């Protein structure tokens, strides 16, 4: 009996042309990460629930638990394993387990799926791809890496059709020092509330801060700090003008000023100091990042991360790190899913080799083999139909060239560009399509 297929929300499944566009993004991201000296690692899908749930308020809401459906009675208690909801937590565990085999500072990239047990909504999925880079050192991590990650992301986005964007940068030590200077004891709780500014607005945030034990004046000062942003170092004077002093605040301001100065020199116009950025996970201790698309800032961050000093520690040694993650599925949910970005064809094939008749299929296969040996994606026609139908087969898939074995008057092979109709003699050992046709290209719905 046939069963009805019921869609499950929160999962991306692309059509072939869309999948090619996704692969283009993934290949570009990987290439740039490697250009900047990051090595690839892959971690398991599950971590202990204890490790996953220790990362802050948000983490407790996001864990998909894993256990066997047919587990015996003694395994029916609370599950001990969960699917990871980001790459940073499993990477920290990976560093601890392999510290003796890694060379520090260790630069890694990781492009994998993650899972969040939350209600799917625009730009947020139950299953999604993240592309992470992290730099981890043993004992101490120099602050200059916090600026370097911005430059890597700027390099990635310069090669992709993402449009105008801004990386908003803050330093958690600014917030921590400012709150301590105000006499606020619950720094983490205050950070979590301030992090809700974009979702609920300043009035609601002020009410929550007061409900959390702050005075009206303390809440007002917290909001005043969060309102400060600038594309240069002028934010320092504006913070100082609020009249709050603390050594941790001084340290955070100096670090953020350095990050913004480096970004301004090497990727002008990309970074902005934005003191409302907090990030909800507890493990961040220094610089934090969120990246907004200028044309749709309400979509939320498409690339986030920050510094963590104590996430990876075995009790004897600590491995501080800094990382940033591109939300690939989130980004493509907008570019592909909403704006219609796609690929020029549904297959990587550039050439279809026609089959004159089934007795000559072996020759068509030899031609395809020769072309593939030189890196040209080639397909042999599935049927020895009339040439018109074989051309139609190629056209429907966007394959630009059809190869006709022995079609020339002298028995030579011929290749036809089915878009222009131009046909000419071709040698399987030397013919190459134009570079633009060798691989599918991205096609924007606004492209003429």
């Amino acid at each position: 009996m046939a069963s009805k297929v019921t869609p499950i929300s929160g999962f991306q499944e692309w059509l072939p042309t869309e999948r090619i566009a996704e692969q283009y993004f993934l290949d570009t991201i990987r290439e740039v990460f490697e250009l900047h000296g990051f090595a690839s690692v892959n971690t398991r899908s599950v971590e202990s629930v204890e490790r996953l749930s220790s990362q802050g308020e948000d983490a407790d809401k996001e864990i998909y638990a894993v256990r066997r459906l047919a587990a015996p009675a003694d395994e029916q208690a609370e599950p001990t394993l969960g699917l990871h909801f980001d790459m940073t937590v499993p990477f920290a565990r990976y560093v601890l387990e392999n510290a003796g085999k890694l060379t520090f500072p260790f630069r890694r990239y990781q492009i994998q799926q993650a899972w969040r047990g939350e209600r799917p909504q625009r730009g947020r999925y139950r299953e999604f791809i993240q592309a992470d880079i992290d730099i981890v050192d043993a004992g101490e991590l120099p602050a200059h890496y916090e600026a370097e990650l911005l430059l890597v992301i700027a390099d990635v986005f310069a090669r992709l059709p993402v449009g105008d964007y801004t990386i908003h940068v803050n330093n958690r030590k600014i917030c921590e020092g400012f709150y301590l200077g105000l006499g606020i004891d619950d720094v983490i709780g205050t950070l979590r509330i301030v992090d809700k500014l974009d979702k609920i607005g300043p009035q609601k945030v002020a009410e929550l801060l007061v409900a959390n034990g702050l005075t009206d004046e303390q809440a007002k000062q917290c909001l005043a700090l969060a309102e400060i942003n600038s594309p240069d170092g002028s934010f320092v004077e504006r913070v100082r003008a609020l009249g709050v002093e603390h050594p941790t605040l001084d340290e955070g301001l100096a670090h953020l000023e350095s990050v913004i100065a480096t970004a301004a020199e090497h990727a002008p116009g990309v970074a902005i100091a934005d003191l409302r950025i907090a990030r909800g996970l507890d493990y961040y201790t220094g610089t934090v990042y969120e990246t907004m698309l200028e044309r749709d800032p309400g979509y939320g961050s498409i690339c986030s991360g920050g510094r963590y000093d104590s996430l990876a520690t075995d009790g004897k040694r600590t491995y501080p790190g800094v990382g940033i993650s591109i939300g690939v599925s989130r980004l493509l949910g907008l570019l592909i899913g909403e704006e219609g970005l796609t690929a020029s064809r549904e297959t990587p094939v550039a050439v279809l080799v026609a089959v004159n008749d089934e007795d000559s299929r072996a020759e068509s296969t030899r031609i395809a083999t020769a072309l593939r040996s030189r890196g040209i994606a080639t397909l042999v026609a599935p049927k020895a139909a009339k040439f018109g139908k074989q051309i139609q087969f190629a056209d429907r898939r966007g394959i630009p060239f059809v190869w006709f074995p022995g079609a020339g008057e002298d028995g030579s092979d011929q290749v036809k560009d089915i878009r222009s109709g131009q046909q000419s003699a071709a040698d399987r050992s030397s013919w190459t399509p134009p570079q633009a046709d060798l691989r599918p290209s991205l096609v924007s719905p606004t492209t003429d």
Side-chain angles (χ1 to χ4, degrees):
M1 179 182 294
S3 60
K4 182 180 179 181
V5 176
T6 303
I8 302 176
S9 62
F11 296 83
Q12 287 181 338
E13 289 185 331
W14 301 121
L15 293 172
T17 52
E18 297 166 336
R19 173 60 175 160
I20 288 174
E22 180 185 57
Q23 284 292 106
Y24 181 94
F25 272 69
L26 294 173
D27 290 345
T28 300
I29 292 168
R30 175 189 54 77
E31 178 184 356
V32 174
F33 285 174
E34 292 183 356
L35 282 173
H36 285 263
F38 291 86
S40 176
V41 305
N42 194 66
T43 59
R44 66 196 185 207
S45 300
V46 298
E47 297 291 334
S48 70
V49 170
E50 180 182 7
R51 175 174 290 275
L52 291 171
S53 62
S54 65
Q55 306 309 322
E57 180 184 52
D58 292 344
D60 293 335
K61 302 174 182 178
E62 298 177 342
I63 301 169
Y64 270 122
V66 177
R67 69 180 174 193
R68 292 185 295 159
L69 287 176
D74 60 350
E75 292 184 21
Q76 293 296 331
E78 289 295 315
T80 59
L81 297 178
L83 295 172
H84 61 239
F85 55 82
D86 73 355
M87 302 300 158
T88 306
V89 175
F91 175 58
R93 186 266 311 158
Y94 176 92
V95 169
L96 292 177
E97 290 186 357
N98 296 283
K101 304 173 186 177
L102 301 176
T103 302
F104 294 98
F106 180 49
R107 305 166 68 94
R108 88 83 167 85
Y109 78 87
Q110 193 170 343
I111 302 176
Q112 279 185 242
Q113 289 175 313
W115 297 266
R116 266 193 201 109
E118 62 180 11
R119 181 176 62 85
Q121 50 190 302
R122 186 180 185 229
R124 297 185 73 85
Y125 305 93
R126 291 172 173 172
E127 179 183 72
F128 52 95
I129 299 172
Q130 288 189 183
D132 281 33
I133 48 172
D134 285 77
I135 303 174
V136 173
D137 212 338
E140 295 183 8
L141 180 76
H144 63 79
Y145 290 126
E146 296 169 39
E148 181 181 344
L149 294 194
L150 292 183
L151 306 184
V152 179
I153 297 303
D155 195 359
V156 170
F157 286 165
R159 301 166 189 243
L160 295 171
V162 299
D164 294 333
Y165 67 94
T166 307
I167 303 177
H168 296 244
V169 194
N170 194 7
N171 192 295
R172 292 267 293 241
K173 291 182 178 180
I174 294 176
C175 302
E176 179 184 353
F178 191 84
Y179 300 159
L180 291 172
L182 287 174
I184 298 171
D185 295 324
D186 186 6
V187 171
I188 295 298
T190 304
L191 271 172
R192 289 176 178 170
I193 294 172
V194 173
D195 195 40
K196 302 178 187 292
L197 262 171
D198 289 335
K199 295 180 180 178
I200 63 176
Q203 182 175 343
K204 290 289 187 182
V205 166
E207 293 173 1
L208 288 175
L209 289 173
V210 172
N212 198 48
L214 273 63
T215 66
D216 289 338
E217 180 59 27
Q218 287 173 326
K220 181 180 178 181
Q221 285 281 68
C222 289
L223 290 174
L225 179 71
E227 290 174 357
I228 296 174
N229 64 79
S230 69
D232 51 36
S234 62
F235 70 90
V236 177
E237 295 179 3
R238 295 171 62 185
V239 174
R240 297 296 188 198
L242 296 178
V244 177
E245 296 183 0
H246 194 277
T248 303
L249 173 62
D250 297 338
E251 185 180 355
L253 288 172
H255 284 175
L256 183 56
E257 186 176 29
S258 176
V259 169
I260 295 298
T262 300
E265 178 181 354
H266 297 283
V270 165
I272 183 171
D274 186 346
L275 304 195
R276 81 164 50 200
I277 302 300
R279 306 293 298 145
L281 295 169
D282 290 353
Y283 54 68
Y284 292 122
T285 57
T287 298
V288 287
Y289 322 90
E290 289 191 354
T291 307
M292 310 295 179
L293 295 173
E294 293 296 303
R295 68 182 180 281
D296 194 353
Y299 191 67
S301 180
I302 57 161
C303 178
S304 308
R307 175 165 180 145
Y308 47 91
D309 285 310
S310 304
L311 182 60
T313 179
D314 57 10
K316 297 180 180 179
R317 198 167 193 182
T318 299
Y319 301 89
V322 60
I324 194 166
S325 172
I326 300 172
V328 179
S329 295
R330 181 175 179 81
L331 177 59
L332 296 184
L334 178 66
L335 298 182
I336 295 177
E338 296 186 21
E339 298 182 354
L341 182 70
T342 186
S344 57
R345 56 185 188 254
E346 67 177 41
T347 172
V349 174
V351 181
L352 176 76
V353 181
V355 177
N356 295 330
D357 51 57
E358 288 303 328
D359 290 340
S360 64
R361 176 173 291 277
E363 176 62 12
S364 295
T365 301
R366 293 186 193 103
I367 294 169
T369 300
L371 294 174
R372 291 171 188 147
S373 71
R374 295 188 294 108
I376 302 170
T378 307
L379 181 67
V380 177
K383 295 180 180 180
K386 293 180 179 180
F387 285 155
K389 289 189 174 181
Q390 295 190 55
I391 291 173
Q392 187 179 58
F393 176 91
D395 185 49
R396 286 176 174 173
R397 290 156 180 77
I399 300 172
F401 296 95
V402 176
W403 190 288
F404 298 104
E409 293 182 0
D410 59 354
S412 63
D413 293 345
Q414 299 273 307
V415 66
K416 182 173 185 175
D417 184 334
I418 63 174
R419 298 160 300 182
S420 66
Q422 182 177 356
Q423 182 169 319
S424 58
D427 185 335
R428 71 189 73 177
S429 65
S430 59
W431 180 88
T432 300
Q435 188 65 33
D437 292 324
L438 194 56
R439 299 284 184 270
S441 58
L442 295 183
V443 178
S444 168
T446 59
T447 301
D448 293 330

